[in-house]
Amino acid sequence: MNYLTLFKTILVGDINLGSLLLRNKNQMQTTFFIAGGGGIGRAAALLLENDSTIEATIFLADKSSEQLNNAINWISKAHGNTNVQTLEIKTLDDSELSKCLKKCDVILDCLPGSLAPKLAKLAIEHQCHYANLTEYVRETKEIAELTKDAKTGFVLQTGLAPGYINILARHLYNRFTEDHGAERVDHMQMKVGALSKNALAPSHYAFTWSPIGVATEYVKDAIVVRDNELKVIPALSGRSRITIDGNVYEDNYTSGGAANLPSYYADRIKKIDYKTLRYPGHYKWVEKTLNKIPIAENRVEKLFHIMLEKIPVVDDDFVVIYASVSGWDGNGLLRSYEKSLRVDPLKIGHQKLRAIQSTTAAALCQMAVWLAKNNTRVVIYQTDVDPESFLHRTFVTLAYGRVLEE
């Protein structure tokens, strides 16, 4: 069974991931290995340690001892102490890393996306389950190929976008088709913005998450569906404005956020696209900046360094989410099923998780726990999980709220 057939099988229900997510409510014992002690890695460690349904042993690894010390102090602030153990590793070939992974059940990959295939190989070698966050398309395809015969489970592109936004869009698609029929769906839209509460000119932006991730999604091509065909289009080639809950934002095509939905739904939906939300004025500044960078240069790296010099990093953030599925009803009227959310920072004990931390780490933890509980061998995207089950799970509702009950 090839990879495309596998995730189509999961989506139509031959493998009922929804029911699996509802099983095993008793406390379980699991050893989690979190690669990367930055904002998402430490948030994942805190969420796992804070959950009362699991008895977790948690290793947090990073190449920087200072980063690890900061992470432990940050986690400890929640409840006054922590049992999270640390491991300093300079490279992924470190012998101490290999020794540690022999004791672990699940790897949570919070490292830069370029390292994802190498860490996935270590998961195969040590027979660990594996979940990652990266929106990088090439690396995700490489992992899908690597893991065809793996003896453990792999969940790719968990998190917020890709991840939660795609599942929310699938939920709306299911509702629309139940009411009006699949043949009437015309357009699926997904939009997410991780934003600061304040943003100054000229960039109209402040970093709330990985600067290199921002640069990458602005430069690498986006995948969309147009007239039921997959298309590759340049990032930042479709700037427009949208009003969400009374607030005006700009949106634009960026890479990776659509996950596998264009491939899966292309034969059923005429238009599918993912856009990143920003404050008005930001994309104009980015386009002017990119126009000054020669095509022959490494544009991701160059843009990354320019933005670091011009744009501040802030902690006071929020996440805005919008998904819609539109089409025609039986009377020929254009209908749109849509959902918007604003997610603010989350408080756990005495510690505050930034909105981008909680939304990203919660989805990652949900899938890591699912892998551990069910000991599955499937290789899937997070979007292949049954939407109604996923949107009700513990970590997800903690970060995003109970969107299906509103």
Side-chain angles (χ1 to χ4, degrees):
M1 181 182 291
N2 63 33
Y3 185 68
L4 181 61
T5 304
L6 173 62
F7 72 66
K8 283 189 175 182
T9 300
I10 294 168
L11 283 168
V12 298
D14 289 348
I15 301 176
N16 191 343
L17 295 186
S19 63
L20 290 177
L21 278 166
L22 294 169
R23 290 184 348 205
N24 298 321
K25 293 183 179 179
N26 296 330
Q27 191 179 62
M28 65 173 193
Q29 295 182 347
T30 307
T31 301
F32 297 96
F33 180 89
I34 302 173
I40 305 304
R42 64 187 63 178
L46 175 55
L47 288 171
L48 290 170
E49 188 173 51
N50 188 67
D51 187 78
S52 61
T53 66
I54 56 177
E55 186 177 332
T57 300
I58 303 167
F59 291 97
L60 182 64
D62 199 279
K63 66 180 181 181
S64 166
S65 59
E66 181 180 3
Q67 178 93 298
L68 288 172
N69 289 333
N70 290 339
I72 291 300
N73 291 335
W74 185 89
I75 296 166
S76 299
K77 184 178 176 181
H79 301 297
N81 57 65
T82 180
N83 292 318
V84 174
Q85 302 175 54
T86 61
L87 180 67
E88 183 180 350
I89 50 169
K90 294 304 180 185
T91 71
L92 293 182
D93 298 317
D94 195 305
S95 60
E96 291 302 311
L97 171 60
S98 182
K99 290 178 185 177
C100 184
L101 289 179
K102 289 177 181 177
K103 299 181 283 187
C104 296
D105 300 302
V106 187
I107 296 173
L108 288 73
D109 184 356
C110 302
L111 295 177
S114 58
L115 298 174
K118 191 162 188 178
L119 198 54
K121 286 180 182 178
L122 288 173
I124 296 170
E125 178 183 341
H126 295 283
Q127 295 190 21
C128 298
H129 299 298
Y130 170 92
N132 75 14
L133 295 163
T134 184
E135 73 274 22
Y136 290 11
V137 175
R138 181 176 61 82
E139 285 79 358
T140 299
K141 289 181 178 178
E142 184 177 344
I143 293 173
E145 288 297 317
L146 282 171
T147 54
K148 282 180 178 177
D149 300 317
K151 294 183 170 120
T152 51
F154 288 74
V155 181
L156 311 180
Q157 295 193 333
T158 73
L160 169 59
Y164 181 92
I165 183 61
N166 315 115
I167 294 180
L168 186 60
R170 284 195 55 225
H171 163 68
L172 295 174
Y173 174 84
N174 291 345
R175 282 184 51 208
F176 191 100
T177 56
E178 285 172 7
D179 291 345
H180 306 294
E183 71 280 1
R184 297 184 179 273
V185 178
D186 184 70
H187 193 183
M188 175 184 282
Q189 300 183 68
M190 297 164 279
K191 306 176 192 291
V192 173
L195 299 169
S196 58
K197 292 187 177 179
N198 307 291
L200 301 177
S203 68
H204 302 280
Y205 185 66
F207 286 117
T208 66
W209 68 290
S210 164
I212 190 64
V214 174
T216 300
E217 72 174 9
Y218 285 177
V219 172
K220 292 194 175 183
D221 291 335
I223 298 174
V224 301
V225 172
R226 294 292 181 265
D227 294 322
N228 298 108
E229 292 186 6
L230 283 174
K231 303 284 186 182
V232 177
I233 63 172
L236 308 188
S237 62
R239 174 158 44 110
S240 61
R241 290 200 174 190
I242 181 173
T243 301
I244 301 173
D245 296 329
N247 299 303
V248 178
Y249 302 97
E250 282 186 347
D251 61 22
N252 217 330
Y253 300 121
T254 54
S255 68
N260 61 331
L261 296 194
S263 297
Y264 184 72
Y265 283 121
D267 59 344
R268 285 169 282 175
I269 304 177
K270 289 182 181 178
K271 290 179 66 179
I272 301 173
D273 45 62
Y274 171 85
K275 288 185 168 185
T276 295
L277 298 165
R278 295 289 185 250
Y279 289 121
H282 174 66
Y283 283 124
K284 183 177 180 180
W285 180 86
V286 174
E287 288 162 11
K288 286 175 64 177
T289 303
L290 279 170
N291 286 339
K292 297 175 183 177
I293 303 174
I295 297 294
E297 292 190 22
N298 184 332
R299 304 187 90 207
V300 171
E301 193 71 20
K302 190 73 173 178
L303 180 61
F304 165 67
H305 287 295
I306 292 173
M307 289 196 298
L308 280 182
E309 292 176 0
K310 305 291 185 181
I311 298 175
V313 176
V314 301
D315 291 328
D316 202 8
D317 74 335
F318 68 98
V319 168
V320 60
I321 299 167
Y322 174 86
S324 72
V325 172
S326 57
W328 308 92
D329 68 13
N331 297 316
L333 293 176
L334 181 62
R335 299 276 184 181
S336 180
Y337 285 28
E338 56 184 11
K339 182 69 181 177
S340 63
L341 302 171
R342 173 181 165 131
V343 182
D344 289 305
L346 172 70
K347 196 80 177 289
I348 294 183
H350 300 291
Q351 183 56 275
K352 182 177 81 170
L353 284 74
R354 289 178 290 119
I356 190 62
Q357 281 183 293
S358 63
T359 52
T360 305
L364 174 65
C365 290
Q366 195 68 68
M367 298 316 301
V369 169
W370 172 73
L371 284 167
K373 282 185 176 182
N374 297 289
N375 199 29
T376 178
R377 291 179 59 178
V378 297
V379 182
I380 60 170
Y381 286 82
Q382 179 179 293
T383 51
D384 299 327
V385 175
D386 174 67
E388 283 63 39
S389 297
F390 178 85
L391 293 170
H392 275 119
R393 296 303 94 221
T394 305
F395 292 104
V396 175
T397 56
L398 178 66
Y400 293 91
R402 297 183 179 275
V403 299
L404 300 189
E405 296 178 6
E406 296 181 359

